[in-house]
Structures are given as C-alpha cells and as structure tokens.
C-alpha cells in the first residue's frame, strides 16, 4: 500500500521531499519540498511551480535522501488538489508504456490527466431567479428575459439568456436592478447506474456457451485474456454485454474501447436497451464541460461503464474490473503521433498490471491475436454462426480483365445489373471504395501537368463537393483552377481514377430514381451528423450507400443485402507487410454488412487479381486458408508476431540534413546478432509538410528486448539539433 510522506521529526531533518512527474515532454521527475502541515502520498495530484508558472503534477515517489546541496534551492509544492490520487496500477502503466515506446513519461502521464487539462472541482454553474419587480426602464430585451424567468424558478444564466434571445449583459443589468438574483446551480445528480437485469436477451444455443464463458470470466475477476471470435452478425456485442453485466453486479467499472467513437450511435442504443441507461462516453468530440463532468464521474466511481476511444484506456478509474476491446483488429487503435502506442496491446498490459480480465472481440482477429489464441495464451470463445439463423453472405469475384466497365466508368455491367435488381426488390445496396473525394489525381491532357501538394510528396485529391483540390497528409487545399497553371490550356483538366464522390455521380447516372448517400470521413462535420445519416440509412430512406471504410465498422442496416466492392485490389499492392491482412479484414467486414436481418446477403468483388490468395480465400469463405498462409509467411520472414519491428523516422527541412543524420545514426547502431538495422532509405512518403523524411527499420527476434536496444543506441548516438526530428515507433502499423 502507498505510504504517506510525512515530515520527519528527527534532529537531522524537519522537512520532507517528494519527486513529482509533470505532464509535459520530459522523462525525469523533479524534487520539491513538502510544506509544513501537508501530507502527500505517491499518486496525489498537486500543483507545483515550474519556471515562471504553476503546473499540474503527480507525486511519483518520496525522496528520503535529497541532495543536501539542493535543500535551499528546492521549491515548495503549491497545493494538493482535491481529486482522487492516481492508483499504483496506473502509475505502473505510465512507467511501462514510456519504457516500451521510448516516450517521455510526462507525455504518457498527460494522457491520464484529461490530456493535460486543468483538474480540480467542477466549476460552479451560475443560475438566475426572478425575485423583484420589473425595472422602470423596461426594454424589449428585458421584457423577453423576464417572461422566460416568470416561473420564478432557478434557470441557468447562459441558457436563460439564449432562450430569451439576449446577451448575458442584459441578465447582469437586471441583477443590478434587483429584479433578478444570482444563485449557484445545484450539481446535477449522477445518472442512474446500468441495471444488469434490465432486459436480459434470449440467447441461441451457440450463444449460451459463449455467454457462460463471458460471465465466468468476469466473475473470476483475475487477469485473463479471451478472444470473442464471432462472424459478422453473430451477436458478439450482446454476448460481451453479459461480462459487463456481471462486472456491474460486482460493483466494479467496465471499459469498452471502440475504434471509431463517432460511429457508436447504434451501439449506444443497444446498450440502453440492455441496461436501461446510456454509458458514460469519452472521446475528443465531448464539450469541455461534459468532459470534466465525465472525468469526475470516472475517477469518483460514479461511472460503472465507460465507452470510449483509445484515450479512455489511460483514465484513472476508481475501480476498473473489466476491459473490452471491440473490433480489436482495427488499425484505428494505433496512435500515430505523440506517444506511439497500440491501445489493444497496452490494454492487455493494463489488465495484467491491474489483475483484471480483458475481452478482445472481432470477426476478423489480427494475426497477432489469432496466433496467441492458437498457442493457448488467449482463450478462444467462438460464435461460428449468425444470430437468428441468418446465412453468411455469398461472395463472388468479378474479373475486370474479362468483363471491364465501360470506358470512363468504374461499375462493371454485372455489378450494375445486380444493384438494379436490389433496388427493384426495395432492398439497399452498398458500393464500397476506400478512397475519399472525387478522384485521386487531376492532370492536364495538353501538357501532362499533375496537381501535387506544394509541401508533401503526394497528389492533390479532387473534392467536388467542396470544390477544392486537397492534400490528405497536411490539409493543404486550393480551388480547382479553370485553366492549366503550367500551359494555360483551357478545359484540359481531367480527373483520373475514382473516389466515392465520383462513384455517386456514376450511380446517379445508372439509377436516376434511386436515393444515394455518401459516407466518408471528410464529409462528416460532427458525431450528430454521422448518427443522423446512419439513422436515415437504417430507416430505409436511402437506396444506395456509397462509402469508404467508415461503413465497415459494426453498422446494422436491416434492408442491406448487396455489397459491391468497386476495387478489391486497392490495398494489396502498397508494399505494406500487413497489406494482405488488412485487405482481408476490411473486405470481410464490408461484405459482412449484407444479409444481417432478412434475405441472403451477397457480395461482389471487382478485381484484376481473382487468383490472389486473399481474393480466393474471401470467395471460398475459407478463413483457415487465409490465416494458415499469412501465419506461415510471417513465421518464415520473422515478421510480427514471430519477430519485432521498430521504425525510426528522421525528418528535416532539407534532404541533405535528413539523409546525413540518418546515415550517422545508422552507423552508430550497436552491433548485435539479434538485430537487423535496415536503411536508411527514403520513406515511401518522402516529404510531408515540407519536411524530408528518411526511415530506418529495425527487425529482431520476438524474445529480444528491442526497446532496451533502442534506448542504449539513442543515448550513445548522435543527437538531433536545429530542425532535425527523430520519431521512434515500436511495433509500427504504418510503413509510409
């Protein structure tokens, strides 16, 4: 148990000292003096002076033997904040993640403290009440406000002003006149807890075995990893809800991580039907006030169930008892900037440290998780068939070499015919293309000029809805010019290749009476907009859905029975070691949207490579063939999970500086027979935001401590200076 740091009373010393960790880009702790009368323990959240300002910090350890030469130079801890301390298991997670990813501990701690926002008691909301007579000078604005407050009840100040259509200065004026009085608003009561017995569903015979396993896992309460492995539409969510229900009964908290929190409208509805209330949410779209309130509920134990994006993993839960990773295979769990971590893997680490169970749920498990299940490290809980007796979709390949679309079109005649049949049957069709915008490239037919980003090594994507040419790497955009900027030719600019916007244009030409909708991340303005559009589709008010990978993640569209993948080869030829796995997972998930409610679903894969192992495995519905082939290839080449990788990206404002440092860094690598240092070479995206990029790739055996090797190497190697930047990514998911 953490011991309290108290002031010593010996003759040798009457002062206590603590080491604190500050949530900034620093790895070290700093020593501070504890003021008389203040008792501190590891985990306490404090405010300390750092340079000219006061910052948030966490007591990391006591300091029984401070350097006596520093006694008079050490500053006092400013104050101890009235918030729950960070528990030992969370502090251990911070240390572990920092050590593994080579990130400063302060930056990992930052993720635990509301992303570095100020903590403390929730700000008191101000209310106003009508108590006196109207003033002599009664303007129309004042009259409207008095009418709103005529019930003489306490109203939120800003909300009353908004309802009356006046500024808050009008409210202040009536307070000065004595017509209104200001009172603190009572804190809203916490939401009622989820009821684990609210609406227990009827499970099928196959589901009951999985439900029993989930309940046993939660009831045991010790560290254990289970893979809930179920086909699309098998009811995985309802099954792992039973583990959540058992955890609620035990009085502990559950965390459900989801890869795309913006897409959880249907999930939240299902949770509400099962438990009678909505869970607490945690994601970047929350308002600051809701974020503060939810944080207080989580740390105070008033949030039995939290549904969140990957950042929710690092919150200081009062008593976490279960973690669920939904769609555990999803690439969105990898944090690609700041601290590079994989939320699934770090969730397993947190569960191990906290000695609690964790459930990984997926219809298409990652190769790493599949290997762990095959080796017995993870328990596999199977759901091999769809709920309600629905069949899995039938999948067919359309060979574009044999039956190509008409010139300038991208939907083959066979797929167009099947979409037409679906519309006639009053069913929905989904056209999937994992490419945003109208076209990935714009060029001039007269001179061949291609529109490229001015500061990235990338083409500009034509977005017709926005009337802009956009870089998807840095955000640069420009209006589509009327003439070629290189040769001044008029009407010579042509769009090359399809995006989802162009696909909608083609669908409108083929099916003029059909109602279509594009689902793409660049067209989503808010979570509410996204949920409204998904509800439109679920209600059957859309005939043709045209979407990117957004449509692949857990949606249930009752009338959707046909899925057409416009370019099934898109992810197979980019040199990524995980390209086959990602394509297989993505297309499985997309086709799995079909036939979940009624009728028989069917999926069509337009491809130039019908003989590719991934396409053949999809058409044959032969999951075992895919995993056997992919696992054998990984094991033969010592790629994860049979080996380990780390990526070093060196960037600078000019190419010679970046390349020169990369070569010096590579030449300083310690020699070790267990490690291969590959490179340096230009990164596939050689320039991003005006910075030239070179990459070193490290490859080692699975049991080798690659993080320790990197730490020793970088400590002894050349140091970055000026505009040089070095990014370390242990277990990289992206190779761009």
């Amino acid at each position: 148990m953490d011991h309290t740091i108290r002031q010593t009373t010996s003759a040798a010393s009457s002062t206590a000292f603590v080491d604190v960790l500050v949530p900034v880009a620093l790895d070290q702790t700093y020593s501070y003096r504890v003021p008389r009368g203040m008792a501190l323990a590891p985990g306490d959240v404090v405010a300390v002076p750092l340079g000219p300002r006061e910052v948030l910090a966490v007591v990391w350890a006591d300091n029984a033997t401070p350097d006596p030469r520093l006694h008079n130079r050490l500053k006092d801890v400013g104050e101890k904040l009235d918030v729950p301390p960070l528990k030992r298991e969370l502090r251990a997670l911070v240390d572990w993640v920092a050590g593994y990813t080579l990130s400063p501990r302060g930056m990992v701690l930052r993720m635990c403290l509301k992303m570095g926002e100020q903590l403390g008691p929730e700000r008191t909301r101000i209310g106003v009440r009508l108590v006196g007579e109207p003033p002599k000078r009664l303007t129309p604005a004042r009259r409207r406000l008095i009418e709103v407050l005529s019930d003489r009840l306490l109203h939120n100040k800003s909300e009353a002003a908004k309802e009356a259509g006046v500024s808050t200065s009008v409210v202040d004026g009536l307070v000065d006149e004595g017509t209104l009085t200001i009172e603190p608003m009572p804190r809203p009561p916490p939401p009622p807890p989820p009821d684990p017995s609210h609406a227990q569903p009827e499970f099928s015979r196959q589901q009951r075995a999985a439900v029993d396993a989930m309940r046993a896992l939660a009831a045991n309460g010790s560290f254990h990893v289970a893979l809930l492995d179920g086909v699309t539409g098998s009811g995985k969510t309802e099954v792992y809800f039973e583990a959540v229900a058992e955890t609620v009964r035990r009085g502990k908290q559950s965390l459900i991580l989801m890869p795309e929190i913006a897409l959880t409208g249907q999930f939240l509805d299902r949770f509400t039907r099962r438990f009678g209330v909505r869970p607490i949410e945690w994601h970047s779209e929350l308002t600051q006030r809701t974020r503060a309130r939810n944080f207080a509920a989580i740390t105070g134990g008033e949030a039995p169930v939290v549904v969140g994006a990957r950042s929710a993993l690092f919150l200081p839960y009062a008593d976490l008892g279960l973690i669920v990773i939904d769609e555990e295979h999803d690439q969105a769990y990898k944090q690609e900037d700041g601290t590079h971590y994989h939320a699934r893997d770090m969730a397993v680490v947190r569960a191990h440290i906290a000695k609690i169970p964790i459930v990984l749920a997926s219809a298409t498990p990652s190769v790493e998780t599949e290997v762990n299940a095959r080796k017995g490290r993870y328990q596999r809980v199977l759901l091999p068939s769809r709920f309600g007796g629905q069949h899995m979709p039938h999948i067919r390949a359309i060979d574009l070499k044999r039956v190509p679309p008409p010139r300038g079109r991208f939907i083959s005649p066979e797929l167009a015919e099947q979409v037409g049949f679906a519309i006639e049957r009053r069913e929905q069709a989904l056209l999937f293309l994992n490419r945003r915008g109208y076209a990935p490239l714009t060029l001039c037919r007269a001179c061949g000029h291609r529109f490229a980003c001015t500061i990235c090594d990338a083409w500009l994507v034509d977005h017709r809805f926005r009337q802009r040419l956009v870089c998807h790497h840095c955000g640069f955009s420009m209006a589509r010019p009327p003439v070629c900027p290189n040769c001044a030719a008029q009407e010579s600019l042509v769009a090359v290749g399809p995006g989802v916007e162009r696909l909608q244009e083609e669908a409108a030409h083929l099916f003029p009476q059909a109602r279509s909708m594009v689902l793409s991340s660049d067209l989503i303005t808010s979570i509410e907009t996204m949920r409204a559009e998904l509800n439109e589709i679920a209600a059957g008010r859309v005939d043709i859905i045209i979407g990117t990978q957004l449509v692949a993640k857990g949606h249930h569209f009752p009338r959707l029975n046909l899925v057409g993948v416009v370019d099934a080869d898109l992810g197979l030829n980019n040199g990524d070691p995980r390209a086959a796995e990602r394509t297989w997972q993505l297309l499985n998930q997309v086709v799995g949207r079909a036939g979940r409610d009624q009728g028989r679903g069917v999926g069509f894969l337009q491809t130039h490579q019908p003989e590719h192992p991934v396409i053949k495995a999809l058409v044959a519905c032969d999951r075992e063939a895919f995993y056997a082939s992919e696992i054998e290839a990984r094991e033969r080449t010592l790629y994860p999970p049979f080996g380990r990788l780390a990526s070093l990206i060196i960037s600078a404002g000019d190419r010679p500086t970046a390349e020169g440092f990369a070569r010096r860094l590579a030449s300083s690598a310690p020699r070790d027979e267990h490690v291969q240092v590959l490179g340096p070479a230009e990164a596939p995206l050689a320039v991003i935001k005006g910075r030239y990029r070179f990459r070193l790739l490290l490859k080692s055996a699975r049991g080798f401590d690659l993080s320790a090797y990197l730490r020793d190497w970088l400590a002894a190697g050349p140091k970055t200076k000026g505009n040089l930047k070095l990014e370390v990514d242990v277990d990289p998911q992206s190779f761009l």
Side-chain angles (χ1 to χ4, degrees), residues 21-30 50 103-109:
L21 186 62
V22 183
V24 295
L26 297 169
D27 197 55
Q28 68 192 82
T29 58
Y30 289 92
L50 185 69
S103 300
R105 279 190 298 170
M107 293 305 289
V108 183
L109 175 64

Side-chain angles (χ1 to χ4, degrees), residues 225-227 348 360 368-369 372-374 376-380:
V225 186
L227 166 61
V348 174
L360 311 179
E368 288 86 347
T369 298
N372 278 326
R374 293 188 179 204
R377 300 188 189 105
Y378 296 172
Q379 174 191 2
R380 190 191 301 270

Side-chain angles (χ1 to χ4, degrees), residues 451-467:
F451 285 83
C453 180
T454 58
I455 55 174
C456 294
D457 184 19
W459 306 122
L460 295 179
V461 178
D462 186 353
H463 285 255
R464 291 287 169 91
F465 290 173
R466 294 162 55 188
Q467 296 293 310

Side-chain angles (χ1 to χ4, degrees), residues 32 165 213 279 347 359 401 423 470 477 497 556 569-570 590 619 621 632 653 678 688 715-716 735:
Y32 285 85
V359 177
K401 298 194 300 290
I423 294 173
V470 181
S477 71
H556 180 73
D569 307 326
L570 190 57
V590 170
V619 171
C621 296
E632 188 276 331
L678 308 174
I688 294 182
F735 290 84

Side-chain angles (χ1 to χ4, degrees), residues 242-261:
E242 296 310 300
V244 173
E246 185 63 34
T247 305
V248 172
R249 289 188 185 98
R250 295 175 63 235
K252 292 182 174 293
Q253 294 172 295
S254 298
L255 166 63
I256 303 173
L257 285 188
M258 308 196 77
E260 295 285 352
I261 198 66

Side-chain angles (χ1 to χ4, degrees), residues 420-479:
F421 290 156
I423 294 173
E424 289 175 6
R425 295 191 300 266
R426 297 186 177 277
E427 296 175 349
Q428 289 173 321
L430 166 63
L431 296 176
F432 173 79
L433 177 63
N434 201 22
R435 187 179 274 157
R436 293 176 287 161
Y438 183 86
L441 173 64
T442 301
L443 60 76
C444 174
R445 282 179 300 195
C447 69
H449 173 74
R450 300 183 176 202
F451 285 83
C453 180
T454 58
I455 55 174
C456 294
D457 184 19
W459 306 122
L460 295 179
V461 178
D462 186 353
H463 285 255
R464 291 287 169 91
F465 290 173
R466 294 162 55 188
Q467 296 293 310
R468 307 290 290 179
L469 301 178
V470 181
C471 175
H472 286 174
H473 301 286
C474 71
F476 168 81
S477 71
M478 59 178 286

Side-chain angles (χ1 to χ4, degrees), residues 248-330:
V248 172
R249 289 188 185 98
R250 295 175 63 235
K252 292 182 174 293
Q253 294 172 295
S254 298
L255 166 63
I256 303 173
L257 285 188
M258 308 196 77
E260 295 285 352
I261 198 66
L263 309 183
T264 59
Q266 290 184 347
F267 172 87
L268 294 173
D269 292 341
R270 291 160 80 177
F271 186 96
T272 304
R273 287 195 297 270
R274 172 63 182 86
F275 293 101
V277 297
R278 288 170 74 92
I280 294 293
E281 295 182 55
W282 187 264
H283 51 82
S284 59
E285 296 290 327
L286 297 177
T287 65
Q288 189 170 353
R289 177 174 292 172
T290 301
R291 196 175 181 83
R293 187 177 299 132
N294 289 359
F295 185 87
I298 290 165
T299 59
E302 296 177 347
V305 182
V306 178
V307 177
R310 57 178 179 255
S311 61
L313 175 64
F314 292 92
L315 294 174
Y317 296 89
D319 193 6
L320 188 59
L322 173 72
I323 301 175
V324 177
I325 312 294
D326 201 4
E327 307 288 3
E328 65 84 26
H329 65 276
D330 199 286

Side-chain angles (χ1 to χ4, degrees), residues 362-423:
S362 179
T364 54
S366 63
V367 171
E368 288 86 347
T369 298
E370 177 68 21
V371 169
N372 278 326
R374 293 188 179 204
K375 290 183 177 294
R377 300 188 189 105
Y378 296 172
Q379 174 191 2
R380 190 191 301 270
V381 180
L382 273 172
L383 288 170
S385 59
R386 285 187 157 181
F387 180 72
Q390 287 298 110
H391 295 286
M392 292 298 294
H394 173 67
I395 302 176
R396 290 174 52 189
I398 298 175
D399 187 350
L400 295 180
K401 298 194 300 290
R402 190 172 55 83
V403 282
R407 184 176 178 83
R409 301 289 181 183
F410 305 95
I411 300 173
S412 67
E414 182 178 358
L415 179 55
E417 181 181 46
Q418 294 299 325
V419 171
F421 290 156
I423 294 173

